[in-house]
Amino acid sequence: MKFRRPKLRRLAGPAGRASWGLADQALSSLSNLAVGVVVARSSTVADFGVYALAFGGYTIALNVSRAIATEPLAVRYSGERSPDWQRAVRASTATALLAGFLALLVGLAIAAFPGVPSRGVLIAFAVTMPGLLLQDAWRWAFFVVGEGRRAFVNDLVWLLAMLAIFGGLYLTDTASAFSLTFAWGLGAVIAAVAGRFQAGVAPRRQLIREWVRRNWDITPKYMGEMLAVSGTIQVYMVGITAAASLAATAGIRGAQVLLGPVNVLNQGIRMISVPEAARALRHSYRRLWLVGLAISFGVGAGALAWGAVFLLLPPFVGRQLLGPGVWTQAHEVLIPVILLQALGASNAGAFAILRALTAATRGLRVRLISSVILITCGITGAFLWGPKGAAWGLATASSITLLLWWNEAHRAITAHRRTPPPPTHPALP
């Protein structure tokens, strides 16, 4: 039986990294689900609609930070801890922190406009944005060197800090949409501070310019791709609000809150999948393809399973979680939103393949085409058939974009076979 041990050891590495990744995402899911639930129960349907739009703004900032700071780290510095990794982490986390401060200024500027509803929620997102983006950067730094356990501990710090603050708010009867959102962000700030000591390195602002310059061959395309993702969500949410109502937006966001673990799992699995795909590529194209398929199948099946839980649960559970007003709107669109989330999550494997191949142009192209399809189908459905039409339009668009992703991944592998190997990652001076 000795000849099997090397194979078992090779399998143990990816399985262990994936296990820590899934455990870490479970904690992230709890954090995001908890804040969505408590805010929904503490606000009106209209206020929760504003929260949904503000959360979309946070998603845009997060995706920009990943494009310029942490995606290049995952693509070019995956492996083990080394002096190059340490210096790259100093640069990437400093870049993420800068992105957070810029997002803070933008958020406060938006909140300063006259007549902006639920201004406190916007301010809560804005002032905690540097901590939110830095905490995410630490998690990526740990995953690219296979240290998912540290990312898990960091998310546990966030969750425990947030729950402790939630408890204080409810005990003092000061819980509101503003204070609860701020507590969620403050928990991330605490975790971001803890991440600096876990990593053993600190952000270094002097390296930001050098980091951006050395990764400029891929970061503009990654940024365009990420902005297409989050910008698309904002555009179709605003469009659905205009075509149907703010209640329609609240319903879709309410259903997404219940399915929040799916979205967080999808985002988080990319932290695991990109380094794993890069490792698979060093072995063979066949392994790269199989890793991509396994990732997509696992995430897609998990999304459908989670959605089925809420379809089978009695309605009073949903009313208790979201409150009667938001639940009524969310229940009407639950099935198409489940399909939207599951189909969207199933492109994770194709995404990882394109990242491993550094096929940034292909990724940007499929993102832009997908954006047009999602916006068109979502807003058209809302205009013709109201909230249900919007949700079914988005689900239909998501099925089309899934096919586009996998077609592009197949073409990228074919093209990569015909080209010489790329140069090694650049070392920071």
Side-chain angles (χ1 to χ4, degrees), residues 62 88 113 146 189 206 221 306 334:
L62 182 64
F113 275 95
V189 173
Q206 292 86 351
K221 295 169 185 176
W306 184 263
L334 191 56

Side-chain angles (χ1 to χ4, degrees), residues 26-40:
L27 289 182
S28 289
S29 300
L30 286 174
S31 298
N32 286 274
L33 178 61
V35 70
V37 167
V38 295
V39 171

Side-chain angles (χ1 to χ4, degrees), residues 76-403:
R76 289 178 163 163
Y77 294 90
S78 293
E80 298 180 354
R81 281 184 179 249
S82 67
D84 281 349
W85 172 84
Q86 290 183 350
R87 195 166 179 82
V89 168
R90 291 181 186 275
S92 64
T93 52
T95 306
L97 193 57
L98 175 61
F101 281 110
L102 294 176
L104 182 154
L105 297 176
V106 172
L108 292 180
I110 294 173
F113 275 95
V116 173
S118 301
R119 183 176 284 107
V121 173
L122 298 176
I123 294 173
F125 271 105
V127 298
T128 58
M129 199 66 74
L132 286 163
L133 300 190
L134 180 58
Q135 191 271 343
D136 183 73
W138 287 127
R139 295 170 67 222
W140 278 78
F142 296 139
F143 275 118
V144 299
V145 287
E147 297 181 359
R149 177 178 58 84
R150 295 181 187 271
F152 175 87
V153 171
N154 193 262
D155 269 320
L156 181 61
V157 171
W158 183 1
L159 179 63
L160 293 178
M162 181 191 72
L163 292 177
I165 301 171
F166 278 1
L169 293 174
Y170 281 106
L171 286 174
T172 57
D173 198 26
T174 55
S176 65
F178 161 73
S179 63
L180 292 167
T181 303
F182 181 73
W184 169 74
L186 185 58
V189 173
I190 294 171
V193 174
R196 178 261 178 269
F197 296 99
Q198 287 180 282
V201 296
R204 188 176 176 186
R205 63 179 178 82
Q206 292 86 351
L207 294 175
I208 294 176
R209 179 177 296 181
E210 183 68 20
W211 177 258
V212 173
R213 185 182 68 81
R214 286 184 172 270
N215 292 293
W216 194 247
D217 58 323
I218 56 175
T219 51
K221 295 169 185 176
Y222 285 174
M223 188 181 300
E225 185 180 332
M226 293 300 187
L227 285 175
V229 176
S230 46
T232 296
I233 296 173
Q234 285 297 85
V235 170
Y236 73 60
M237 280 294 197
V238 172
I240 289 170
T241 300
S245 64
L246 194 57
T249 303
I252 292 174
R253 179 56 191 158
Q256 289 175 332
V257 166
L258 295 178
L259 301 172
V262 174
N263 186 50
V264 175
L265 174 63
N266 181 31
Q267 293 295 325
I269 203 69
R270 299 190 180 196
M271 284 189 275
I272 309 164
S273 63
V274 174
E276 289 301 328
R279 293 184 183 99
L281 176 60
R282 289 195 285 269
H283 183 272
S284 68
Y285 290 109
R286 181 175 181 273
R287 177 172 288 189
L288 175 64
W289 185 257
L290 292 176
V291 165
L293 288 175
I295 290 167
S296 283
F297 179 79
V299 177
L304 290 174
W306 184 263
V309 169
F310 284 99
L311 289 177
L312 297 175
L313 287 175
F316 80 87
V317 176
R319 287 194 294 269
Q320 289 296 316
L321 287 173
L322 297 179
V326 176
W327 166 250
T328 299
Q329 302 297 325
H331 185 259
E332 292 184 358
V333 298
L334 191 56
I335 292 177
V337 172
I338 290 172
L339 294 176
L340 167 66
Q341 298 291 89
L343 292 168
S346 297
N347 70 31
F351 172 90
I353 290 173
L354 293 178
R355 281 291 191 266
L357 297 171
T358 61
T361 301
R362 293 182 181 275
L364 177 59
R365 179 167 60 239
V366 73
R367 285 289 190 195
L368 293 175
I369 295 172
S370 299
S371 296
V372 174
I373 295 172
L374 283 163
I375 291 170
T376 302
C377 291
I379 296 177
T380 301
F383 182 78
L384 295 176
W385 299 291
K388 285 186 178 180
W392 279 109
L394 292 173
T396 302
S398 190
S399 66
I400 297 171
T401 60
L402 176 61
L403 297 177

